[in-house]
Amino acid sequence: MAEQPEPAATSATDFDAIIVGAGFAGMYMLHKLRQLGFSARVFEAGSGVGGTWYWNRYPGARCDVESMQYSYQFDDDLQQEWSWTERYATQPEILRYANHVADRFDLRRDIRFDTRVTTARFDDDERLWCVETDDGTRTTARYCIMALGCLSAANLPDFKGRDSFRGQTYHTGNWPHEPVDFTGQRVGVIGTGSSAIQSIPLIAEQADTLYVFQRTANYTIPAHNRPLDTDYVKAVKADYAGMRARAKRMPPGIDFTPNLGSALEADAAERRRRFEARWAEGGLTFMGAFGDLLLDQKANDTAADFVRGKIHEIVRDQDVADLLSPHNVIGCKRLCVDSGYWATFNRDNVNLVDVAEAPIEEITPDGLVVDGRLYELDAIVFATGFDAMTGALLRIDIRGSGGQALKDKWAEGPRSYLGLAVAGFPNLFTITGPGSPSVLTNMLPSIEQHVEWIADCLSYLREHALGRIEATAPAEDAWVAHNREIAGESLRSTCSSWYVGANVPGKPRVFMPYIGGFPAYLEKCAEIAGNDYAGFDLT
Ligand code: N01
């Protein structure tokens, strides 16, 4: 540590910190910094708070983590006073919650809405970040905190003729704020990821005819959504701290009870019993039926066979059931949670179109062409996902020390220390950045942990009269190597998922989230902070 004490903030900067994004990460970061006496300005491209839940307004959008766990825990009064109504909260309800939090903590006065950050540059001489926005404003701060969300940069494939279509087009991740009515229309949905699987049953109820263009069949587990039972809510609220503590001890940061036994050591009857029980329970914890489902291909096959069997029970036309049956590793791509997805393919107005062998050729003014056939459409829904984890960061021109561009540094894939910091980019923090557990965990506790770690770090710098922090290259190299090694041990790194950037043409294939689980990650972050921020240069 060099001996050049200097206050963390100087009059040379407009703010102590600039925060980019007013989703759950940016909102809590602002609140936390204010509590600690730091000044902060938030820039948000949308007209309101909520991030993911502000943009993803497609029919059927809900969270696949149970509502009693998908909420902030930093303020006990907040978690006691808020009432969720359903097991899995809808997008409108989660957005109401985000707005409630913004009101309750008076956050909006420090947020500039409708303002997109275009560039962020580190000034080595002044040791500050200079951020430019699309309204032509330039703002400076000692620290820059990216709270951009992992799934916020929409992926809109460049289909030939895409913009020639005469009808309406929609992207699930950028859905209109006004209600969309598909009544009487011929609608095409491209994609069968979570967004498609949630929206297809509802679009099918409205549309005259629905075509689902499927490139890769996907696994989904029923949500069995229901209104929340008041006794259950009371019990959780009586010991919310206990539930949160148990969740922190689980790899996905969710309080649930996995079975650690091996699927291969169980006999067929035992396997069936456990899979049936998880299917009846519903949701993502299906993968907790056995401990080796993501470690051993043969074990995984038993779960995949079970789900394929369910598809064949539910879908009447066995050819359609075959086409809907995935043959990759279950849980490799993000598992989906649905309400009536498979049964939707029993409807007369729903048609499944395989675009695996014969990809979508082009979009014309009248519809979409596959294998030489024109599907005439009135509306196209692009449920084609996101340039995940790195896309939102790289759409901003971020320049670190010496003018180095983040997009150059990450040309071969993202490199970070803990998913929180990047060597060569001093005083820059990424909340739930690539290299952190983020999308493999319940996002809310992951966000809170990052916010609190960053806030503690800034307090430490202030207490020690330091004004510059930068991850060292060796620490970053070691973290990247560790991630790569543990990702290689999991079946999760074996398929073409957005976790490895496979959904975006030309994106380098790197397993982006940290796969070692929430408890190991918490321990590592605490150890580093407790060790005077080992692996960082502080001056
Ligand atoms: O996106 P996706 P999403 N031609 O990338 C297809 C979270 N989320 O928005 O698999 C034809 O999963 C693509 O095909 P393929 C959750 O973490 C959560 O649905 O690449 N098809 C795929 O089928 C989720 O995982 C919730 O072969 C093309 C689909 O588009 C993540 O967000 C709800 C294509 C994209 O699926 C992303 O989900 C919603 C092309 N050129 C989302 N390009 C909940 O909490 C892409 N596809 C419940």
Side-chain angles (χ1 to χ4, degrees):
M1 221 181 277
E3 291 179 352
Q4 289 173 322
E6 140 174 351
T10 73
S11 56
T13 59
D14 299 320
F15 299 97
D16 292 313
I18 290 171
I19 300 164
V20 188
F24 284 124
M27 288 166 66
Y28 181 37
M29 192 77 245
L30 171 61
H31 175 63
K32 192 76 199 166
L33 290 184
R34 270 193 197 160
Q35 277 185 324
L36 295 169
F38 289 104
S39 63
R41 160 75 73 239
V42 181
F43 292 112
E44 165 58 51
S47 305
V49 297
T52 286
W53 304 103
Y54 173 87
W55 298 103
N56 287 262
R57 296 168 183 249
Y58 59 83
R62 311 176 172 269
C63 188
D64 56 7
V65 174
E66 294 193 23
S67 53
M68 293 304 291
Q69 302 205 46
Y70 190 82
S71 53
Y72 286 126
Q73 58 192 286
F74 69 81
D75 185 294
D76 192 47
D77 290 343
L78 170 66
Q79 66 182 359
Q80 292 295 334
E81 78 195 12
W82 182 261
S83 299
W84 296 105
T85 61
E86 295 178 65
R87 180 184 187 188
Y88 295 103
T90 60
Q91 173 270 331
E93 188 166 53
I94 301 172
L95 190 58
R96 274 200 297 281
Y97 173 71
N99 278 289
H100 169 74
V101 173
D103 292 339
R104 196 180 193 287
F105 298 104
D106 188 21
L107 298 180
R108 288 190 187 80
R109 67 184 153 89
D110 286 324
I111 305 175
R112 289 288 165 274
F113 292 106
D114 301 305
T115 309
R116 187 173 286 282
V117 169
T118 52
T119 67
R121 289 160 200 268
F122 185 69
D123 182 325
D124 285 294
D125 297 331
E126 300 293 333
R127 305 213 292 186
L128 54 80
W129 278 91
C130 178
V131 165
E132 289 177 354
T133 48
D134 59 0
D135 57 359
T137 316
R138 195 176 164 277
T139 310
T140 58
R142 172 72 73 206
Y143 304 104
C144 182
I145 303 170
M146 295 296 179
L148 299 171
C150 298
L151 295 158
S152 51
N155 170 43
L156 190 56
D158 191 16
F159 295 111
K160 185 179 163 201
R162 191 187 69 199
D163 299 331
S164 70
F165 183 60
R166 267 200 295 261
Q168 294 295 316
T169 56
Y170 306 92
H171 190 288
T172 45
N174 194 2
W175 199 262
H177 289 208
E178 314 73 48
V180 175
D181 186 0
F182 293 112
T183 305
Q185 297 191 8
R186 299 159 299 177
V187 181
V189 174
I190 304 175
T192 48
S194 292
S195 304
I197 282 176
Q198 287 189 327
S199 56
I200 281 168
L202 292 169
I203 297 174
E205 282 175 15
Q206 265 189 1
D208 185 54
T209 312
L210 174 64
Y211 295 97
V212 176
F213 298 95
Q214 172 186 279
R215 185 166 70 180
T216 310
N218 215 338
Y219 295 96
T220 177
I221 307 298
H224 300 310
N225 189 41
R226 54 180 177 262
L228 275 174
D229 175 69
T230 42
D231 289 341
Y232 167 72
V233 173
K234 242 189 237 159
V236 171
K237 287 193 174 180
D239 183 29
Y240 231 141
M243 175 194 260
R244 304 296 197 178
R246 288 192 299 278
K248 283 188 180 145
R249 293 194 289 272
M250 303 307 293
I254 295 173
D255 179 28
F256 79 114
T257 311
N259 166 38
L260 300 178
S262 160
L264 298 177
E265 284 167 18
D267 63 25
E270 159 85 347
R271 272 201 300 269
R272 179 99 210 155
R273 189 180 62 73
R274 286 196 182 271
F275 286 139
E276 286 288 2
R278 295 276 168 179
W279 184 268
E281 185 185 329
L284 294 174
T285 57
F286 179 81
M287 294 305 288
F290 292 99
D292 52 358
L293 296 183
L294 282 166
L295 295 173
D296 186 300
Q297 180 66 58
K298 286 201 171 76
N300 191 276
D301 290 343
T302 64
D305 280 345
F306 175 85
V307 176
R308 284 190 288 265
K310 287 288 182 194
I311 298 170
H312 282 82
E313 277 171 29
I314 299 167
V315 178
R316 284 195 292 270
D317 182 327
Q318 294 300 293
D319 291 338
V320 175
D322 284 345
L323 197 49
L324 284 169
S325 295
H327 290 283
N328 52 10
V329 167
I330 182 170
C332 185
K333 287 182 184 235
R334 165 84 172 205
L335 194 61
C336 302
V337 176
D338 72 285
S339 296
Y341 178 68
W342 308 119
T344 297
F345 292 89
N346 291 330
R347 296 176 66 103
D348 292 339
N349 67 332
V350 176
N351 308 281
L352 183 63
V353 184
D354 180 12
V355 297
E357 296 303 318
I360 294 166
E361 275 166 41
E362 66 173 318
I363 293 177
T364 73
D366 298 319
L368 201 150
V369 181
V370 179
D371 209 11
R373 171 177 168 191
L374 170 67
Y375 293 84
E376 288 188 76
L377 301 171
D378 302 303
I380 299 177
V381 175
F382 294 92
T384 44
F386 302 90
D387 183 351
M389 304 208 71
T390 55
L393 284 161
L394 295 180
R395 287 179 192 187
I396 299 174
D397 183 9
I398 300 176
R399 308 260 168 172
S401 187
Q404 184 187 17
L406 187 63
K407 77 168 169 22
D408 293 337
K409 159 127 190 177
W410 284 4
E412 306 296 322
R415 303 180 63 76
S416 79
Y417 186 34
L418 302 174
L420 269 164
V422 182
F425 293 76
N427 293 6
L428 178 77
F429 297 93
T430 51
I431 301 181
T432 64
S436 73
S438 58
V439 290
L440 298 181
T441 61
N442 181 1
M443 286 301 288
L444 262 288
S446 268
I447 283 170
E448 286 184 306
Q449 184 255 340
H450 265 193
V451 165
E452 287 162 15
W453 193 94
I454 293 166
D456 287 348
C457 177
L458 299 198
S459 299
Y460 178 98
L461 294 170
R462 182 170 60 185
E463 274 163 32
H464 292 79
L466 298 163
R468 189 182 190 281
I469 178 166
E470 181 183 349
T472 67
E476 182 180 88
D477 290 346
W479 186 250
V480 170
H482 170 60
N483 277 351
R484 191 170 303 151
E485 187 189 330
I486 55 177
E489 291 163 7
S490 167
L491 294 176
R492 263 190 156 138
S493 60
T494 59
C495 67
S496 298
S497 67
W498 57 257
Y499 294 133
V500 298
N503 61 326
V504 176
K507 189 165 173 171
R509 285 216 178 195
V510 171
F511 193 85
M512 294 184 286
Y514 171 73
I515 205 171
F518 201 41
Y521 182 77
L522 292 182
E523 200 180 310
K524 186 74 186 168
C525 288
E527 178 195 310
I528 287 167
N531 201 2
D532 293 321
Y533 295 91
F536 289 92
D537 274 336
L538 310 180
T539 55

